[in-house]
Amino acid sequence: MISKESVLKGLKTQVIGKKLFVFESIDSTNACAKTLAEAGTAEGTVVVADFQSAGRGRLGRAWLSEPGTNLLFSVVLRPTLKKESAAILTFYSAVFIARALETICGHSIECKWPNDILLNGKKCCGILLENSFVQDRFDFSVIGIGINVNQAVFPEDLANRATSLMKELQHKVDRTKLLQELLRAADTLLPSTRAGWAKEIMDDWNSHCSMFGKPVTISHGDDRISGTALRLDAEGGLVISTASGPSTFYAGDVTIVQ
Ligand code: BTN
């Protein structure tokens, strides 16, 4: 099991992880982090679990993870941003995760819109942001991160799309070291989020994304549209050019058509 003492040992962050909760089992680290945030916990509070009985994924899906093999954690932020800049937190999360994974794994990482992280073209990490606002300002944001670290086997329906660091690197990865690197990377990049649409974050995200200029299909609910991925708009929406003109999506699943 991940221990609080080993995570905190040598961790020299300013904000992220200053308050750390570690559970062997919990319903969802996002649910716990939300409860703590509603009760006023400080920015940078981190909740980690070895197992989640009700892990949440994007678009109302479940996030399943073998006990004791992966990283499941949530970070509480108290952004000074306006509601319309909320999308920057998605890109902030993807960039600090990509940086930390590249440091620990020594492999290039790809960011897939809106918030997946790929290794060798397969998903190794998902991000779920849950935001709370007071009028047009943030009260808090919970960034939930699930990384497949040492899981060897995936359900059949996911096997050709999902992977773990261990499967791709052919060796186990130390979860405590990886978590420390993630918290460090999150802490270093945090000041860049203060500027709203932050250039450092967006430039880095774009350099990790290979979709622009390529034919893609995007599906969201019953909608399924094909076109060419053009760019992101100012709110993080994906603009694609279609036969009937440009179309912008703010959620969905994108596939690059090979
Ligand atoms: C996705 O659907 O890709 C996002 C998955 C996010 C899963 C993580 S695991 C830790 C945190 N707690 C949750 O309940 N969900 C997120």
Side-chain angles (χ1 to χ4, degrees), residues 187-210:
D187 199 67
T188 304
L189 195 58
L190 185 61
S192 302
T193 61
R194 313 270 191 235
W197 202 245
K199 191 174 178 326
E200 180 192 355
I201 292 173
M202 293 318 299
D203 285 353
D204 203 330
W205 190 87
N206 280 312
S207 76
H208 282 92
C209 176
S210 66

Side-chain angles (χ1 to χ4, degrees), residues 28-30 52 54-58 63 72-74 116 123 126-128 144-146:
S28 152
T29 59
N30 264 33
Q52 295 183 132
R56 304 171 179 173
R58 263 187 339 116
W63 183 262
L72 307 164
F73 70 105
S74 303
D116 288 347
K123 179 166 171 173
I127 306 165
L128 177 67
I145 299 168

Side-chain angles (χ1 to χ4, degrees), residues 14 23 30 44 67 76 100 138 145 162 174-175 177 192 220 248 255:
Q14 300 291 313
F23 295 92
N30 264 33
V76 176
F138 270 94
I145 299 168
D174 184 323
R175 290 186 300 151
K177 272 197 191 138
S192 302
H220 186 219
T248 306
T255 313

Side-chain angles (χ1 to χ4, degrees), residues 90-143:
T90 299
F91 300 106
Y92 157 73
S93 312
V95 168
F96 81 68
I97 294 167
R99 288 181 180 182
L101 289 178
E102 283 174 348
T103 303
I104 295 291
C105 302
H107 268 53
S108 312
I109 292 292
E110 203 181 316
C111 296
K112 181 176 173 231
W113 185 90
N115 42 14
D116 288 347
I117 304 289
L118 312 185
L119 175 56
N120 294 342
K122 289 184 173 184
K123 179 166 171 173
C124 64
C125 165
I127 306 165
L128 177 67
L129 272 99
E130 297 191 66
N131 296 327
S132 170
F133 301 98
V134 176
Q135 288 163 353
D136 68 336
R137 292 266 168 199
F138 270 94
D139 180 12
F140 62 82
S141 176
V142 168
I143 302 175

Side-chain angles (χ1 to χ4, degrees), residues 10 18 42 66 71 82 88 107 122 129 138 161 169 218:
K18 295 307 262 186
E66 265 179 13
L71 266 184
K82 283 191 159 181
I88 195 63
H107 268 53
K122 289 184 173 184
L129 272 99
F138 270 94
R161 288 178 285 132
L169 304 175
I218 175 159

